[in-house]
Amino acid sequence: MQMNEFQQNCYDIVTDPNLSPKQKANLLALAAENNLPYVDLDSETQNALNERVICDMYEGHAPYKPRYVLPDYAKFLKQGSEYLELEPAKNFDDAINMLTIAYHHVPSVTGMPVYLGCLDQVLLPYVGDLTEDELYQRLRHFWIMLDRNLPDAFMHANIGPYDNIICRLILRIDRELKQVAPNLTFIYDEDITPEALLSVAIENICETAKPHIANNKMIKKDFDEKGYGVVSCYNSLPIAGGGSTLSRINLKEVAQRSKNIEDFLQNSLPLYCQLQLNLIKARSAFLFEKSNFFQNSFLIKEGLIDANRFAPMFGIYAMAEAVNILQEKSGLSGRYGQDEDANELATTISKQLADFVETHDIKYAWKGKAMLHAQSGISTDRGATPGLRIPYGHEPDPVTHIMALFKHHHYYTSGISDILTIDETIKNNPSALLQICKAAFKFGFREFTANISGNDLVRVTGYMVRLSDIKKYKEEGSRINTTFLGSEAAQDTVNNSYLCRTPRVISHEQVMGNR
């Protein structure tokens, strides 16, 4: 039987021996969406998309749900839900049960929730007279349920910045179970969070590469009184809102199309920024005007999200390659992450990107603007370093690394992250990692993330994978949806693979010099 391209694609999915029925259903749904005509684009924008100078992150041809949704879970527990036929939570068991139900009805680009809430703040009102051991047992079962029923590494929980029993128990449980899901961010605020609690989070990183640590004093300035959540990899977005869509510019491709630094800054970059803005506007218009999500979702009707609190994300990646190409075209020898002039060029590019976003209004956007984002790469990227990271295998020592990048962080309001890969000897001296984290925040890092060599759990771009799962994926598949992404990412042995990262030792001199 002859099959057309769409049918062949669907047939390949249903006969794939490494996919579960649920994984096949998700991929078939995406294939069906991508068989529709693409949202209307002008020819120049369409050509830039076809050439992947700009990229739609393969969200689908006709977006019918926002990319990232951050419901107000505290409000949900307090008021209950008419749609889900749930009364307001009266105790801790009610709260856990209601969250378990709600998560299955929160859409995202992955088909699973990317935001589970700031769980300690959401659950604390329902602790009542439960003992620590009783809370531990309930939370441990809850944590296992999340990994088994929602096996996706983009699913993300937040805790902190306040010290409390729920926060400490989640850290304890996450360290014990060493699960891929959920991803975890610890929100740290030097004016609120005791150093003893930060130390616990750092010790967890040494064992599990989790949590991310978010610099609350810096991030909260970009949001309002409702606050923000850190979702998916490391994306900061408004609570009761989210990210409507994410497009990204491949700065390497823009640099290759430029004559020199001046041509890049004056002509090529402004052009592709405008084309990306065209793409964002077209995709946003379809989502808000034609998909009916914001007209019909119970999340809107029950006040758990607000259409006006969604922002499109204006992403970029491959800064390292772009700077190095422009340096060569301009007859300069310095390289990104290593040379002061090259690093200053990168800062100039970031500022120009931020200025573009700030000076261009968007109809369907929180505060009328997109949010600049250092996009952390996707598994099929080849020869392009995620976001603003220093190419793997070329990283300097941790302090030099931080000093090379900190100037960028305040520009990227919806997220920028680096991953410091640290030698496993740090487990003998976690206080050194704590001091490096605090130094990074002092200089202006928005988030701090570390992988520890020798651990099974590692971060690929921003999500978690287990190396042991990757090794057996091609023979056995995986119950975790994102394992295949880690397997794909490992294939790039030049730029995008965690296999190329260089573990670095944090010396006593580095720690003392940054106190």
Side-chain angles (χ1 to χ4, degrees), residues 276-480:
Q276 170 145 292
L277 191 68
N278 296 348
L279 177 63
I280 285 172
K281 287 181 176 180
R283 294 185 63 81
S284 296
F286 188 95
L287 174 65
F288 278 81
E289 296 173 5
K290 296 184 179 181
S291 76
N292 285 306
F293 174 85
F294 290 106
Q295 290 72 37
N296 294 334
S297 173
F298 83 97
L299 297 168
I300 288 283
K301 293 178 179 178
E302 297 185 6
L304 303 178
I305 59 174
D306 180 341
N308 295 319
R309 294 182 63 79
F310 282 81
M313 301 166 69
F314 192 101
I316 59 93
Y317 73 113
M319 177 68 85
E321 286 75 22
V323 169
N324 291 344
I325 289 168
L326 292 173
Q327 289 282 103
E328 290 175 1
K329 287 189 174 185
S330 300
L332 302 172
S333 60
R335 290 296 178 262
Y336 181 76
Q338 315 288 336
D339 175 78
E340 185 174 347
D341 289 339
N343 292 342
E344 283 302 313
L345 171 58
T347 305
T348 298
I349 294 170
S350 285
K351 183 181 185 305
Q352 183 166 319
L353 289 163
D355 289 344
F356 179 90
V357 169
E358 181 59 30
T359 55
H360 287 78
D361 293 338
I362 295 180
K363 182 178 181 180
Y364 299 110
W366 183 55
K367 298 183 178 180
K369 309 288 183 184
M371 297 182 74
L372 188 60
H373 180 66
Q375 201 280 320
S376 63
I378 58 178
S379 62
T380 54
D381 287 345
R382 296 291 178 264
T385 301
L388 282 88
R389 295 178 188 170
I390 297 171
Y392 302 143
H394 300 279
E395 309 95 330
D397 67 83
V399 173
T400 303
H401 196 143
I402 290 166
M403 297 302 292
L405 298 180
F406 77 88
K407 292 181 182 179
H408 296 278
H409 278 236
H410 72 280
Y411 293 121
Y412 293 85
T413 55
S414 67
I416 174 174
S417 178
D418 209 318
I419 300 174
L420 295 180
T421 302
I422 308 298
D423 187 83
E424 60 186 337
T425 54
I426 196 65
K427 295 179 181 180
N428 299 322
N429 186 21
S431 64
L433 188 60
L434 182 147
Q435 294 302 327
I436 291 294
C437 173
K438 291 175 68 175
F441 288 167
K442 177 182 176 181
F443 282 108
F445 259 45
R446 187 173 290 266
E447 281 209 14
F448 180 85
T449 306
N451 275 342
I452 309 302
S453 65
N455 285 352
D456 192 28
L457 272 173
V458 299
R459 293 190 185 276
V460 175
T461 60
Y463 62 87
M464 308 301 303
V465 297
R466 279 191 299 234
L467 295 177
S468 56
D469 290 341
I470 298 296
K471 289 179 181 178
K472 59 186 180 182
Y473 174 72
K474 290 186 177 181
E475 288 74 33
E476 302 178 14
S478 175
R479 66 172 180 82
I480 299 169

Side-chain angles (χ1 to χ4, degrees), residues 49-156:
L49 180 61
N50 292 344
E51 294 173 359
R52 291 292 153 179
V53 187
I54 61 174
C55 174
D56 59 4
M57 295 293 293
Y58 305 98
E59 288 180 351
H61 288 188
Y64 60 93
K65 59 189 183 303
R67 181 178 181 88
Y68 301 130
V69 178
L70 285 72
D72 185 341
Y73 289 114
K75 183 175 184 178
F76 167 70
L77 294 182
K78 186 175 182 179
Q79 73 181 22
S81 171
E82 180 180 352
Y83 177 80
L84 296 176
E85 301 180 52
L86 294 170
E87 296 293 326
K90 297 181 178 65
N91 54 46
F92 199 81
D93 290 336
D94 285 348
I96 290 289
N97 185 54
M98 288 177 67
L99 290 176
T100 302
I101 293 169
Y103 294 153
H104 283 274
H105 298 272
V106 177
S108 80
V109 68
T110 69
M112 295 188 184
V114 295
Y115 182 60
L116 303 182
C118 194
L119 285 176
D120 53 346
Q121 304 307 313
V122 168
L123 291 173
L124 273 172
Y126 303 96
V127 168
D129 58 1
L130 291 174
T131 66
E132 180 174 340
D133 185 62
E134 289 169 335
L135 288 169
Y136 169 80
Q137 295 298 332
R138 286 165 169 78
L139 287 169
R140 194 175 192 277
H141 290 155
F142 179 62
W143 220 242
I144 292 171
M145 179 281 299
L146 290 172
D147 182 75
R148 306 309 191 269
N149 282 357
L150 300 168
D152 190 280
F154 296 114
M155 180 176 64
H156 207 119

